[in-house]
DNA sequence: GCAAAAGTGTTCTTCTTACACCCATGA
DNA sequence: TCATGGGTGTAAGAAGAACACTTTTGC
């Protein structure tokens, strides 16, 4: 047939990259160098290329815009955002990915982005271009849930970490205090969550803590649940 | 710029429509009337139209291909499938939706589909066109999880149902037997899951059962968890 | 009364929570 | 010895699992 029975569109890949920095949940945002929304904050992203797989595009954008190694960093599909009016340039459907990174030095700005920087998620609310506020909210909610049922928290840490480090991730992402003693037991009783390295980290003050690395078990059994009777 | 820096592609919406029929988890499959994969089984779906929202496209396809009312049926985004070689016609990225329907009369075949029919999910394995086997597997896994944390099970039932009906949904979808007595208590103790109608259903044999309708609470608290110490 | 499915009571166990208490280190 | 954070013990309460038992109907 010659008549077009489908929409002409472009497909973008956008990244919600989260980390815990300075005791706050932070997201990587760029300042847009081009129209539309020039000089506005946005999530890093770009268009899908010819013959390119979606996940590969996410890995490429992560590298291009932030210098992070997509193969080393937790990266998972988050959702697809396709409202017809979401991009003033025309029909652009965006596949969003959630990336979790350890606390790293400030990323190097990439080609498209005038500037890339970590910013506390709370400070981004209402300030992002396109529908990126919504994407970031969804990303944070997803991360909060994933902490309960997967070992995602270890992706926020470096190669080795203490139970205290891990607890700090949970406290910051969930925005609620946890009992250090019960948390410790829960983590160590959840088989495959973490693996002892035999090493210890000596802090400037206080008792040395055992160092762990990420375990093999992606899904936690039993899970680390947010209590329903929370303090609030 | 004049050079193209993005992929030319079409966007499809595919539907994984699940129901419980004859004590089996069944999916709605069509027999394809056109190439590619002519006469092969596939999930219903079609291309996104000009200016059409993704969710609206899913509702439209549901109506066109099955006659089901998309506004009355549970419909949620499942994932996006974009492998470059997934469609022999060229680059087609598919946004898949999960739909849950009560046990209904055999759907009427639509325009594009030579035939639409319910088929037990177990019988579809390895027989679907494109990457639809994978999409359907993801749909089933999503449904299993959603039964734990949301009132999705009520979407499998008609407007009113008994606790026994609801238990049957869980047993079929999870493929494991549940204790009727404990299940009953769990459901009724989970506030907002179901709402009593005051009516009773008189069976051909046995004690009448109270009829309920879906409650207001979409997310269940406490959840109905699959036991980890399962029989198998 | 009997069959069948609905629903309640009860016990055992496991998980969660709260918190007292001890441990290992540097200053 | 003190401050600091790491880590164990333990008892009360909540939730889940297993199952004996009662209820309500049609036949």
């Amino acid at each position: 047939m010659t008549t077009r029975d489908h929409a002409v569109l472009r497909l973008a890949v956008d990244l919600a990259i989260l980390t815990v920095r300075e005791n706050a949940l932070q997201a990587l945002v760029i300042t847009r160098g081009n129209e539309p929304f020039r000089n506005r904050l946005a999530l890093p992203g770009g268009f899908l290329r010819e013959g390119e797989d979606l996940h590969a595009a996410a890995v490429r954008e992560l590298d291009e815009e932030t210098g992070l190694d997509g193969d080393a960093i937790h990266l998972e599909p988050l959702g697809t955002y396709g409202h017809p009016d979401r991009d003033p340039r025309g029909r652009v459907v965006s596949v969003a990915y959630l990336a979790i990174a350890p606390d790293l030095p400030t990323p190097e700005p990439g080609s498209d982005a005038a500037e890339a920087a970590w910013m506390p998620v709370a400070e981004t609310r209402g300030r992002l271009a396109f529908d990126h506020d919504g994407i970031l909210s969804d990303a944070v909610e997803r991360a909060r849930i994933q902490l309960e049922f997967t070992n995602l928290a270890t992706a926020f840490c470096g190669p080795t970490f203490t139970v205290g480090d891990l607890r700090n991730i949970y406290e910051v992402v969930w925005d609620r205090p946890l009992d250090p003693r019960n948390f410790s037991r829960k983590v160590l009783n959840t088989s495959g969550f973490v693996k002892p390295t035999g090493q210890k980290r000596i802090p400037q003050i206080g008792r040395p803590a055992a160092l762990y690395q990420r375990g093999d078990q992606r899904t936690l059994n039993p899970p680390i649940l947010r209590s329903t009777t929370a303090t609030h």
Side-chain angles (χ1 to χ4, degrees), chain A:
Chain A
M1 82 176 61
T2 56
T3 60
R4 191 159 49 70
D5 64 343
H6 60 268
V8 169
L9 55 79
R10 281 176 290 174
L11 210 155
V13 173
D14 287 321
L15 297 171
I17 313 169
L18 301 180
T19 196
V20 170
R21 251 175 105 79
E22 295 163 4
N23 265 333
L25 181 63
Q26 309 213 7
L28 190 73
V29 293
I30 60 160
T31 305
R32 287 184 57 81
N34 301 317
E35 293 296 341
F37 298 110
R38 185 169 191 152
N39 295 326
R40 284 276 301 277
L41 295 174
L43 298 179
F47 288 111
L48 183 71
R49 292 190 183 159
E50 200 80 43
E52 186 179 44
D53 185 57
L54 291 172
H55 189 88
V59 170
R60 174 178 56 75
E61 289 292 342
L62 189 62
D63 176 53
E64 278 182 14
E65 302 223 37
T66 71
L68 297 174
D69 179 2
D71 291 322
I73 282 185
H74 177 94
L75 193 59
E76 62 171 297
L78 174 63
T80 301
Y81 299 80
H83 192 279
D85 303 322
R86 63 180 292 280
D87 191 317
R89 288 168 294 188
R91 191 71 197 265
V92 177
V93 171
S94 171
V95 178
Y97 277 77
L98 169 65
I100 305 295
D103 184 3
L104 295 166
T106 301
E108 33 184 86
S111 45
D112 288 359
E115 196 184 342
W118 294 111
M119 178 179 284
V121 168
E123 291 179 23
T124 69
R125 301 222 187 279
R127 296 175 58 188
L128 302 186
F130 306 105
D131 52 2
H132 289 184
D133 279 313
I135 296 176
L136 187 53
S137 296
D138 292 348
V140 170
E141 187 51 31
R142 171 76 68 89
R144 286 182 172 149
I145 292 170
Q146 295 269 62
L147 287 198
E148 297 188 274
F149 301 102
T150 75
N151 65 358
L152 181 70
T154 59
F156 280 99
C157 301
T160 66
F161 48 86
T162 67
V163 175
D165 294 340
L166 206 57
R167 177 167 49 82
N168 189 244
I169 301 296
Y170 276 87
E171 292 185 327
V172 167
V173 177
W174 284 353
D175 190 27
R176 72 174 57 173
L178 298 173
D179 186 300
R181 301 155 291 186
N182 292 334
F183 181 84
S184 172
R185 238 175 325 211
K186 246 181 184 173
V187 167
L188 300 177
N189 284 342
T190 299
S191 79
F193 189 2
V194 297
K195 202 161 46 177
T197 63
Q199 308 283 99
K200 284 193 185 301
R201 176 190 295 167
I202 288 108
Q204 287 172 336
I205 196 164
R207 171 175 169 177
L211 278 169
Y212 297 89
Q213 52 189 278
R214 125 176 298 180
D216 329 297
Q217 208 63 25
R218 214 191 71 84
T219 62
L220 301 183
N221 193 335
I224 313 282
L225 296 172
R226 291 182 273 188
S227 74
T228 55
T229 61
T231 339
H232 174 239

